[in-house]
Amino acid sequence: MDGSFSLANEVMGTSGVMRDSDGEWLWGFSGYHGPGSALLAELLDLKIGLNQAWEANFQRIICESDSLEAIQLLENHIGVVTRVVSCLKLEVSELLSRNWEVRLLHVPHDANMVANYLAKLWNRGSPGVSYWDTPLLELADCPVSDRFS
């Protein structure tokens, strides 16, 4: 998962890739969400991805994010800054508390190249979220370790 935020126009984007236990692509998403902040984008990204995993009836997932701040916020290691962030934290926390096993894992930005690429696609379209059932051709240049693991 990778949320993005443009300082120039203060708008948010989200993206994520769902893979099976063998690292094979299940689906990907990216979206444009209007004004916000970097932390809000990361939390919104987690909410979208977790919702999709829940709807797909996954029982055990590892959710990778390059936002240590978002993970620490969800694990109650840092305080909430704004009311909007607090509300979204509650929504994501509710998803995490459901009857399934979710492990939040912080990964370096460089290990999240596919989601990073998808995060840049949101500025090509209109508000909303787009989903892909197959990897985009442009992702062929990403390292094998990120594409398939």
Side-chain angles (χ1 to χ4, degrees):
M1 311 284 180
D2 188 33
S4 63
F5 177 71
S6 169
L7 286 172
N9 51 13
E10 298 185 346
V11 294
M12 302 180 298
T14 56
S15 68
V17 176
M18 302 297 175
R19 297 183 177 118
D20 65 17
S21 59
D22 295 321
E24 295 296 324
W25 177 288
L26 297 173
W27 71 85
F29 70 89
S30 69
Y32 166 78
H33 302 284
S37 68
L39 179 57
L40 198 58
E42 296 290 352
L43 290 171
L44 185 57
D45 188 54
L46 289 167
K47 178 185 170 185
I48 293 168
L50 289 169
N51 263 325
Q52 289 297 309
W54 179 259
E55 293 296 320
N57 294 314
F58 292 165
Q59 295 299 305
R60 294 179 49 188
I61 65 168
I62 298 172
C63 184
E64 297 179 345
S65 171
D66 61 10
S67 175
L68 185 58
E69 183 180 16
I71 291 173
Q72 288 178 334
L73 177 69
L74 291 166
E75 294 176 343
N76 295 314
H77 298 300
I78 62 171
V80 177
V81 186
T82 67
R83 179 176 164 83
V84 174
V85 168
S86 178
C87 290
L88 193 52
K89 178 196 176 204
L90 286 174
E91 291 178 37
V92 175
S93 294
E94 188 277 324
L95 283 164
L96 292 170
S97 70
R98 292 180 180 178
N99 189 24
W100 61 342
E101 184 181 329
V102 179
R103 182 173 152 216
L104 295 177
L105 182 64
H106 177 253
V107 296
H109 186 75
D110 291 346
N112 211 11
M113 291 179 70
V114 172
N116 293 338
Y117 178 83
L118 292 174
K120 292 175 177 62
L121 294 180
W122 61 264
N123 66 3
R124 295 185 187 175
S126 57
V129 179
S130 298
Y131 296 91
W132 293 278
D133 292 332
T134 58
L136 303 176
L137 292 177
E138 298 96 326
L139 297 174
D141 293 334
C142 289
V144 171
S145 61
D146 190 23
R147 281 197 323 250
F148 302 110
S149 64

